[in-house]
Amino acid sequence: PAGEFPTSDDWSYGGAVKSLIETGRMAVPAGWAYMTLIVQVCWGALFCLPFGFSFLALHISSVVMGAIGIGATYALFRECRISAVWALLGTATVAFNPLYFHLSCIFMTDVPFYAMSVLSAVYFVRSFNETSRQSLFIATVLGIAATLIRQVGILVPVSWGMATLWHFGISRRTLTKAVLPAATTLVVLLL
């Protein structure tokens, strides 16, 4: 990640961070680079706060998010009751995947989106296993974060809803539990 230069298309996303830091306004790139990007831009700006805008700071933010994604991958395997050895092997498969490794060092949306999506999935599965409202709330917030990086993040709470209805059947209680995360995410996305 070292170096004060953009890599691949992260110049476009970096420009949104630079705009936020210098003007205080969110300027999401239009056209081919359009994504919701809000969480990613705020995340990058957080790493630029100490010394001002730099691509090095943005690349470091991606390395940190990459590590979060790796931790979330292991947590998801364990939450799904996969043995520690197989969870470690599955996590290593993601961590040492050349695409993941490379994208963890540049300020693109792929790794932050992956990390937020998997973290959301961890809490959705935990909510499923423990019927925990707190886990469901955290999962929904993380699903919103994934959606505010890339719009397709809405599929995480939608998938949760479908799995809930499939497993528990359709009743007023399960319908509310299944639809509320996706509906909340959709409202935030539209806003």
Side-chain angles (χ1 to χ4, degrees), residues 94-161:
V94 172
F96 295 110
N97 178 297
L99 289 174
Y100 190 87
F101 188 81
H102 170 69
L103 292 169
S104 293
C105 297
I106 62 177
F107 193 66
M108 300 286 284
T109 59
D110 306 86
V111 168
F113 174 73
Y114 174 84
M116 290 297 107
S117 296
V118 174
L119 270 174
S120 180
V122 167
Y123 283 94
F124 275 127
V125 171
R126 185 169 295 161
S127 172
F128 194 79
N129 291 338
E130 301 171 0
T131 61
S132 165
R133 286 186 180 160
Q134 181 181 6
S135 293
L136 185 58
F137 175 78
I138 294 168
T140 303
V141 169
L142 291 167
I144 290 169
T147 304
L148 293 179
I149 294 172
R150 286 184 164 187
Q151 297 91 321
V152 295
I154 196 164
L155 294 177
V156 177
V158 167
S159 299
W160 151 259

Side-chain angles (χ1 to χ4, degrees), residues 38-53:
I38 295 167
V39 169
Q40 177 151 344
V41 170
C42 292
W43 178 258
L46 181 70
F47 281 78
C48 290
L49 282 178
F51 303 108
F53 175 81

Side-chain angles (χ1 to χ4, degrees), residues 25 63 123 167:
R25 296 184 66 218
V63 169
Y123 283 94
H167 184 74

Side-chain angles (χ1 to χ4, degrees), residues 26-75:
M26 184 80 65
V28 177
W32 66 270
Y34 182 74
M35 303 226 188
T36 45
L37 273 188
I38 295 167
V39 169
Q40 177 151 344
V41 170
C42 292
W43 178 258
L46 181 70
F47 281 78
C48 290
L49 282 178
F51 303 108
F53 175 81
S54 77
F55 279 101
L56 177 59
L58 296 181
H59 295 166
I60 290 170
S61 78
S62 293
V63 169
V64 171
M65 193 59 83
I68 291 169
I70 295 304
T73 301
Y74 183 79

